[in-house]
Amino acid sequence: MADPLDVPKYRNAAHALYTVLKEEGVGAIYRGVSLTALRQGSNQAVNFTAYTYFKAYLQRMHGDDKPLPGWQTMIIGLVSGAMGPLSNAPIDTIKTRLQKTP
């Protein structure tokens, strides 16, 4: 935990941007952007693929064209939403460590 009496390095977002650009250059702003894009892309790919698969499976199980009950939609959304971050945790760890390096 930080000492509550310590003065923060940045006063606001604009000051943080100015300070980072001044001290580290433009490259520091975009450090890790490719890994962030990869993380987000893989997250959404896994999420939507899993959701579509689970929904199709449940609709086949019901054997009709009626919409799924809300509780089933909630469950498959929960499971597919968790699968994205679980599948790309290594990418996220690498991205975070890369962004933390000076």
Side-chain angles (χ1 to χ4, degrees), residues 41-58:
S42 64
N43 181 11
Q44 296 305 310
V46 169
N47 186 353
F48 286 118
T49 302
Y51 184 87
T52 303
Y53 175 80
F54 291 144
K55 183 177 177 182
Y57 176 78
L58 287 174

Side-chain angles (χ1 to χ4, degrees), residues 4 9-10 26 28 38 44 51-53 58 60-63 66 68 70 77 88 97-99 102:
K9 184 173 182 176
Y10 309 117
V26 176
L38 178 63
Q44 296 305 310
Y51 184 87
T52 303
Y53 175 80
L58 287 174
R60 279 195 310 272
M61 294 294 288
H62 283 282
K66 290 190 286 185
L68 294 175
N88 65 19
R97 289 184 183 181
L98 176 67
Q99 287 177 327

Side-chain angles (χ1 to χ4, degrees), residues 1-3 5 9 20 28 33 40 44 49 53-55 59-60 76 78 81 83-84 86 99-100:
M1 298 263 314
D3 185 1
L5 299 177
K9 184 173 182 176
V20 169
V33 72
Q40 286 302 110
Q44 296 305 310
T49 302
Y53 175 80
F54 291 144
K55 183 177 177 182
Q59 285 177 327
R60 279 195 310 272
I76 61 175
L78 179 91
M83 290 177 73
L86 288 172
Q99 287 177 327
K100 283 182 154 186

